[in-house]
Amino acid sequence: MHRVAVLALEGVIPFELGIPARIFGSAEGANGKPLYEVVTCTLDGRPVRTAAGFSVTVEHDSSILATAATVVIPPSASLGSIRDQGVLPEPLAAALALIGPRTRVASLCTAAYVLAAGGLLDGRRATTHWQEIEHFHQTFPRVDVDQDVLFIDGGDILTSAGAAAGVDLCLHLVRLDHGSAVASQVARSCVVPPWRDGGQAQYVDRPVPEATTASTSATRAWALDRLDQALSLAELAGHARMSVRTFTRRFRSEVGLTPGEWLTLQRVQLARQLLESSDLPIDHVAQQAGFNTGNSLRQHLRAAIGVSPAAYRRTFRAQDLSA
């Protein structure tokens, strides 16, 4: 069974500490058996005090990290020299050294500081809580930090944005491991969306729009029912009863993406669902998702996730059938 080890540091934030157990622990195969074993450890196996004024007791010390297929590090409110100087304390550095070369490592929120201080993010694209982006970049200039996403999948190393973005990252891992059907079931069990639109840019502190300003949510819902059609910016703005300029500004404020970027994202997601759940020819998938041709779908899917439609279908259809 796939073992997920969660490393709780002193000052761990309880919300994010609970995310891996809740998400991975809810994943079950067709036979009803769990697909993951989630274990929690501290550096020395002793209790650690959380940021919420209570302590948590665990059953393992950091030696368990050597046995994990995935290691998740939640954020801590007591990062100390890690945040201030970009330096790992020796016990933590020794613990990270136990992680195997083939082990997948994920940081939630500001735990990206831990990975960066350990040199694991040098030359890589990464993210963290939007409030920490500027400080993070100054502390770790060798990391390509992105403030506009909910998470970044770097293959063997993944990072998520603030707080609830850890849910998005863990659902993404379930989806990678076992396909969309299992991930969607986990999302339903946890009463969270299986996929959130846009990135954390939509949560960055900005002036609140006036109450009289119309929302683009109804137009987004309208567009989702018409992804197979060519939807121009003028049509979207017209449905929202706004000028193109006002609609574009309002849309980006609400979603964190331009209308065109959002439409492409939704079409890619629909195409992925169709590839996973149907035997439709690639050209038919492309038409239903609004890409018109198989070549257009191939270009967009490869740009989004780095694989062709055929390769994606082989991977996830096989995983769904075996789940």
Side-chain angles (χ1 to χ4, degrees):
M1 186 184 299
H2 188 123
R3 171 174 284 178
V4 178
V6 183
L7 176 59
L9 302 174
E10 187 71 25
V12 66
I13 300 176
F15 176 73
E16 287 94 325
L17 175 63
I19 288 174
R22 191 71 178 92
I23 298 298
F24 294 113
S26 299
E28 296 180 345
N31 57 6
K33 294 184 178 180
L35 295 172
Y36 297 92
E37 175 195 16
V38 184
V39 296
T40 303
C41 67
T42 61
L43 292 178
D44 56 9
R46 298 177 181 177
V48 294
R49 191 162 182 80
T50 71
F54 60 86
S55 297
V56 292
T57 302
V58 299
E59 297 181 358
H60 304 280
D61 61 23
S62 59
S63 63
I64 199 74
L65 299 177
T67 70
T70 297
V71 171
V72 180
I73 307 177
S76 164
S78 304
L79 290 176
S81 64
I82 301 173
R83 182 185 183 278
D84 298 338
Q85 303 167 27
V87 177
L88 286 182
E90 181 54 37
L92 179 53
L96 295 183
L98 297 171
I99 298 173
R102 296 184 179 180
T103 301
R104 190 168 58 187
V105 182
S107 66
L108 307 185
C109 192
T110 55
Y113 276 95
V114 174
L115 301 187
L120 300 178
L121 297 179
D122 286 353
R124 289 177 176 258
R125 184 166 162 257
T127 192
T128 187
H129 195 292
W130 64 266
Q131 291 177 317
E132 293 286 335
I133 291 292
E134 184 175 351
H135 180 273
F136 188 91
H137 176 67
Q138 292 174 351
T139 307
F140 304 106
R142 297 180 64 182
V143 180
D144 179 13
V145 62
D146 188 339
Q147 70 173 357
D148 294 330
V149 294
L150 292 174
F151 63 84
I152 290 176
D153 182 349
D156 56 335
I157 298 179
L158 303 92
T159 54
S160 79
V167 174
D168 299 279
L169 175 56
C170 290
L171 280 174
H172 170 71
L173 291 176
V174 173
R175 195 171 195 276
L176 284 178
D177 293 341
H178 300 288
S180 63
V182 173
S184 295
Q185 181 56 48
V186 170
R188 286 192 294 270
S189 174
C190 297
V191 198
V192 295
W195 184 273
R196 284 198 287 168
D197 296 335
Q200 67 171 330
Q202 61 191 302
Y203 303 105
V204 174
D205 191 20
R206 52 169 58 89
V208 178
E210 295 182 13
T212 55
T213 303
S215 169
T216 64
S217 59
T219 297
R220 278 179 271 140
W222 176 81
L224 286 174
D225 290 332
R226 295 164 176 79
L227 291 178
D228 61 328
Q229 303 174 23
L231 298 172
S232 69
L233 182 57
E235 286 178 295
L236 295 171
H239 180 272
R241 298 183 179 180
M242 302 178 191
S243 69
V244 169
R245 183 177 180 180
T246 298
F247 177 77
T248 301
R249 184 176 62 250
R250 178 63 182 178
F251 195 101
R252 191 177 185 98
S253 174
E254 292 180 354
V255 179
L257 300 170
T258 67
E261 290 169 339
W262 180 84
L263 272 175
T264 298
L265 174 63
Q266 303 312 310
R267 286 175 168 144
V268 167
Q269 285 303 111
L270 176 57
R272 291 168 71 170
Q273 293 172 13
L274 292 172
L275 289 169
E276 295 171 10
S277 61
S278 77
D279 294 316
L280 289 172
I282 300 300
D283 285 343
H284 289 189
V285 171
Q287 291 168 7
Q288 289 195 25
F291 288 119
N292 295 324
T293 67
N295 284 337
S296 179
L297 171 59
R298 290 183 186 94
Q299 291 174 1
H300 282 92
L301 194 65
R302 189 172 293 279
I305 58 177
V307 299
S308 68
Y312 185 86
R313 170 172 274 167
R314 284 195 301 271
T315 299
F316 286 100
R317 285 284 283 173
Q319 290 176 350
D320 281 345
L321 292 172
S322 63

